[in-house]
Amino acid sequence: MVGPAVAEATDADLIRRSVREPETFATVFDRHAPALHRYAARRLGPDSAEDVVSETFLAAFEHRRRYRLGQADARPWLYGIASNVIGKRRRREVARYRAYVRGGVDPAEITGGPVEDGVGTLAVNGPLVAALAGLRAGDRDTLLLVAWAELTYEETAEALKVPVGTVRSRLNRARRKVRQALEGTDHE
């Protein structure tokens, strides 16, 4: 059972403490693993999501001494690691999107339930998924960290280790391409 001091501690406090008491890192895992799992499942599918989360937290644990303790929230750091892990699996992600376009298997469905953002029809998702598959890797990472992981521009910049201006330009380019892909699609 986690005591109140641990439950109320910032991620930075927990990571600092985990250097001396490694078991403390489990609280960081408990806080962020479910959201990272959902994000990875949307990107690569539920079968790969557990591996992505495992690899992300293994890398985070191994490199916890390098964590910037001035950052109270570890989400950008963790999503950055997850983006790198997903990057190693990039072909699988794009193949997943292309398979959806061909056969209608929804990459955003995790357990067979409705798509979280309410965009569940093939008429909308087909062009959207095709647009995602056609984006450059950095543009796709940026768009999905903002849209699916709900990171701010600043957090996305930190996660991807790029300036905020780069996040803005990537997001602009990605949104433009997605918008172009959805033009002419019947949204009614």
Side-chain angles (χ1 to χ4, degrees):
M1 179 173 223
V2 175
V6 171
E8 294 176 15
T10 67
D11 293 338
D13 292 336
L14 293 169
I15 293 167
R16 179 185 311 114
R17 186 173 162 188
S18 76
V19 172
R20 292 182 325 278
E21 302 169 27
E23 65 279 1
T24 306
F25 199 81
T27 303
V28 177
F29 178 88
D30 292 343
R31 283 181 182 174
H32 300 292
L36 277 168
H37 187 276
R38 285 189 300 276
Y39 177 73
R42 292 181 90 179
R43 299 243 358 223
L44 297 174
D47 295 339
S48 297
E50 285 191 34
D51 291 340
V52 169
V53 171
S54 294
E55 288 179 45
T56 297
F57 278 96
L58 178 61
F61 184 79
E62 288 174 353
H63 300 290
R64 69 191 187 281
R65 289 183 192 327
R66 291 191 230 154
Y67 182 75
R68 291 188 346 209
L69 295 171
Q71 301 294 319
D73 185 358
R75 285 180 333 125
W77 179 59
L78 293 169
Y79 278 102
I81 296 168
S83 292
N84 289 336
V85 171
I86 290 169
K88 294 175 186 173
R89 300 161 184 255
R90 186 104 34 222
R91 280 193 208 127
R92 190 177 311 158
E93 179 185 32
V94 172
R96 178 175 165 75
Y97 291 148
R98 289 186 177 140
Y100 171 71
V101 171
R102 284 190 312 273
V105 177
D106 189 348
E109 280 188 315
I110 296 171
T111 59
V115 178
E116 292 174 28
D117 62 4
V119 182
T121 65
L122 182 59
V124 174
N125 277 336
L128 175 61
V129 172
L132 289 174
L135 293 176
R136 287 191 271 181
D139 293 353
R140 184 173 45 250
D141 286 342
T142 301
L143 177 66
L144 297 179
L145 284 170
V146 170
W148 287 353
E150 299 178 357
L151 296 184
T152 66
Y153 289 14
E154 292 77 15
E155 291 170 331
T156 301
E158 185 180 331
L160 298 176
K161 296 180 179 28
V162 299
V164 173
T166 301
V167 168
R168 292 181 194 286
S169 64
R170 285 179 177 179
L171 216 47
N172 184 46
R173 187 171 40 247
R175 286 175 174 157
R176 186 179 67 247
K177 287 185 178 187
V178 168
R179 215 176 355 263
Q180 288 171 349
L182 295 178
E183 283 180 1
T185 303
D186 183 17
H187 298 294
E188 296 177 35

